[in-house]
Amino acid sequence: MPAQPSRNPPSAASGTPAPGQRADARHNRARLLRAAREAYALNGTDVPSSTIARRAGVGAATLYRHFPTRDSLIAAAFSEQLTQCVAALDEALQDDDPWHGFCSVLTKVCRMQAQDRGFSAAFLSQFPDAPGFRSERARAEADLARLVQRAKDTGQLRKDFDPSDVTLLLLANNGVLQESLEVSMAASCRLLAHFLQSCRTTDGAPLPPPAPLRLGDLYKPPRRNE
């Protein structure tokens, strides 16, 4: 579906600065978010906030003034990617061919995962300080369930497929990622092709019961005293 604007207003957890913020404060916030994205893309979300502050060329006090908690910094750094995921689901739901929409959204999300090492942890994490982030992800989960049902209704997606199987794909895709972006993309594409072929309606043996998995239940970011 065409990208729709978020249904949630910008908050302190989003990438959008607060109204009325001074130019130097906006500049520092942008530098922090850029440094966080770069650090998370290289090393995942375990990077200490103090390291991100140094990378951005600001003091720790400036970082905590903009992002009081580590979760709020992670959520803000990845709000754009989550918006892209929601937009991809919107586009898939408006596709006249539900199977094509199903395949396209998984392709886009797996590509995002392969390109950004921090995205997996951010997308699978709980952010208690970021209600806007949580509600957007809840919307994404609901839209994914609708997309799965549409593909089933056409007879193209096997009837015992469960939306939690997409979570299994994201976990598996995260496991094949390597230091080299080229290798990561190749491995991700190969894994996704196997997955999609197995999702097609067949007369083969039924799948075992789905695992009780949800996106927000899979990754618990470690708590650190920084």
Side-chain angles (χ1 to χ4, degrees), residues 75-149:
F78 288 97
S79 62
E80 182 179 349
Q81 284 90 334
L82 182 57
T83 299
Q84 291 174 359
C85 286
V86 171
L89 278 163
D90 286 343
E91 184 175 352
L93 283 169
Q94 292 191 8
D95 196 316
D96 291 336
D97 182 346
W99 173 254
H100 180 267
F102 176 79
C103 294
S104 67
V105 75
L106 293 186
T107 300
K108 290 174 184 177
V109 173
C110 286
R111 184 185 302 124
M112 290 175 65
Q113 226 182 352
Q115 291 174 337
D116 195 328
R117 296 179 66 83
F119 175 68
S120 298
F123 193 61
L124 300 176
S125 296
Q126 295 278 16
F127 295 117
D129 297 325
F133 195 100
R134 290 201 309 273
S135 61
E136 282 289 82
R137 188 173 58 197
R139 175 191 167 195
E141 288 178 330
D143 285 349
L144 176 62
R146 290 173 54 207
L147 184 62
V148 165
Q149 190 57 53

Side-chain angles (χ1 to χ4, degrees), residues 178-199:
Q178 303 296 317
E179 292 296 330
S180 164
L181 178 59
E182 182 179 2
V183 174
S184 293
M185 293 296 292
S188 176
C189 288
R190 180 81 174 181
L191 174 66
L192 179 60
H194 279 299
F195 180 83
L196 290 175
Q197 287 189 32
S198 72
C199 293

